[in-house]
Amino acid sequence: MIYRYSIAQNVFTISVSDELEAWKELKPRFSLFEAISDDIPILEIKIKEGTIGKTEVPDVYRPTFLGVGLIDARYWKLDDGGHVMEFKHVKEHSTRMTMTISERCDRAEIVLDPRGDGNDSYHLSHALMIAFMMGVSGNGTLLFHSSAVMYDGRAYLFQGKSGTGKSTHASLWTANVEGAELLNDDHPLVRFSDNGTAVAYGSPWSGKTHCYRNESAPLGAIVRIIRGKENDLHRIKALKAFVSVMPSVFYIPFMTPEQRDMHRKTLERLVIEVKCYEMHCRPDKEAALTCMRGLTAKPEK
């Protein structure tokens, strides 16, 4: 079966058997992003089961951002310019899955070990996210590690170091700010529209909080959450904002120079055109209200 999806205005396809156990778990969240479009897909992904042999290659690159949870991975490049990644459990030695991506990042093939163990959907979700981000890396689509809420027609991203309370702050908004809704709790996307507006999008990747919404809103602000004894919101200038926001944006170290340049330019544009803040706060109701009032206050005449 070939499925066509659109995420952050990026059309791509997934070819997969509906009988594949790992896909059965992921299909419901991706179905929310199904699209009827005549646009040529930027990426075609094929998923199948197959024998995974032992590959005798050195560890060319071991992405630290993948060494989390159940997943360990390594990467190497093919002679034809293509990319290969293999995934395995952190505490095991056997490879559970391999992914090959073309040099132009417009085709990907994912092969899963047929001996499923119940966690393969976790691996597959990660691989699909990486394939998607490599496919869109040349058009300015950014993936954030942040929580995102929608309020009064705009989206607000809460980012910061792990454990600082991004999800907590987002939940305080939805609990205490009338009309606030969670857009995504882990991996929202941001892309500039044709009219030059930065727009935040939901995605089929949302961490522990299963919030998969095919919705979007103009991006109102990006807020770094910092634990503090008092609730205080203040705006930061573009240079500091770039340093603040950059660690929260998904980055692929083995992108081409052209892709890296697009990534940097998009991030620079984002912190110039979108207001960025730091929020020193407690995990309480007043923190959400203080942040909301500061972000939505109309400028004095």
Side-chain angles (χ1 to χ4, degrees):
M1 186 73 178
I2 299 178
Y3 295 96
R4 179 177 290 258
Y5 300 106
S6 179
I7 299 175
Q9 303 297 309
N10 295 290
V11 175
F12 68 103
T13 62
I14 295 179
S15 174
V16 60
S17 168
D18 284 336
E19 299 305 311
L20 190 68
E21 288 298 323
W23 174 246
K24 285 183 180 180
E25 294 188 41
L26 300 182
K27 183 181 176 182
R29 71 171 82 162
F30 276 84
S31 66
L32 301 172
F33 297 84
E34 281 196 69
I36 300 175
S37 171
D38 294 329
D39 293 345
I40 297 175
I42 61 170
L43 172 67
E44 297 176 351
I45 303 173
K46 183 178 181 179
I47 306 171
K48 65 179 183 179
E49 289 184 331
T51 302
I52 299 176
K54 187 175 182 181
T55 306
E56 298 294 344
V57 296
D59 289 348
V60 175
Y61 189 79
R62 224 173 174 75
T64 55
F65 60 81
L66 289 176
V68 296
L70 297 172
I71 298 177
D72 188 18
R74 64 173 180 156
Y75 161 89
W76 65 94
K77 200 162 187 176
L78 298 173
D79 291 339
D80 63 4
H83 313 269
V84 181
M85 296 191 75
E86 66 175 23
F87 302 77
K88 64 181 181 179
H89 294 309
V90 172
K91 296 182 180 180
E92 296 182 6
H93 299 292
S94 60
T95 299
R96 298 297 308 148
M97 181 175 64
T98 61
M99 177 167 66
T100 305
I101 302 177
S102 64
E103 182 180 18
R104 295 177 57 189
C105 299
D106 58 352
R107 287 176 287 106
E109 181 175 91
I110 299 172
V111 180
L112 290 85
D113 189 316
R115 298 166 296 176
D117 65 0
N119 290 313
D120 288 336
S121 63
Y122 186 84
H123 290 74
L124 181 57
S125 176
H126 233 68
L128 288 171
M129 184 176 72
I130 293 169
F132 174 78
M133 288 312 300
M134 290 184 72
V136 303
S137 58
N139 69 14
T141 302
L142 300 178
L143 177 70
F144 275 76
H145 176 45
S146 70
S147 292
V149 298
M150 294 186 295
Y151 173 69
D152 196 24
R154 292 189 176 275
Y156 299 95
L157 301 190
F158 304 124
Q159 49 104 19
K161 294 180 179 179
S162 296
T164 55
K166 300 183 292 294
S167 294
T168 298
H169 191 75
S171 66
L172 287 169
W173 271 62
T174 58
N176 299 292
V177 178
E178 185 176 358
E181 298 178 87
L182 187 65
L183 175 62
N184 187 280
D185 197 40
D186 198 41
H187 285 113
L189 293 145
V190 173
R191 185 180 182 185
F192 281 95
S193 65
D194 291 339
N195 67 6
T197 301
V199 179
Y201 296 84
S203 82
W205 304 285
S206 189
K208 295 179 181 178
T209 303
H210 297 171
C211 182
Y212 312 113
R213 301 183 66 173
N214 186 10
E215 296 188 41
S216 63
L219 183 57
I222 302 172
V223 183
R224 171 169 283 271
I225 300 298
I226 302 170
R227 288 181 179 178
K229 296 181 179 180
E230 302 295 334
N231 295 319
D232 174 63
L233 176 75
H234 62 273
R235 189 174 176 183
I236 54 178
K237 294 182 179 180
L239 181 58
K240 185 174 182 179
F242 184 90
V243 175
S244 173
V245 172
M246 182 175 62
S248 297
V249 179
F250 186 87
Y251 178 74
I252 302 172
F254 37 86
M255 290 190 293
T256 65
E258 293 78 17
Q259 291 169 331
R260 286 196 297 269
D261 188 55
M262 172 61 77
H263 180 93
R264 176 184 56 79
K265 287 181 177 178
T266 304
L267 186 51
E268 288 177 351
R269 180 183 177 187
L270 190 66
V271 299
I272 290 172
E273 298 189 17
V274 175
K275 294 178 181 179
C276 297
Y277 296 82
E278 286 184 347
M279 177 71 189
H280 294 258
C281 60
R282 304 185 300 265
D284 58 18
K285 173 181 177 180
E286 190 57 35
L289 295 176
T290 297
C291 188
M292 180 274 291
R293 292 167 185 150
L295 296 180
T296 60
K298 294 183 180 179
E300 296 182 1
K301 294 183 179 179

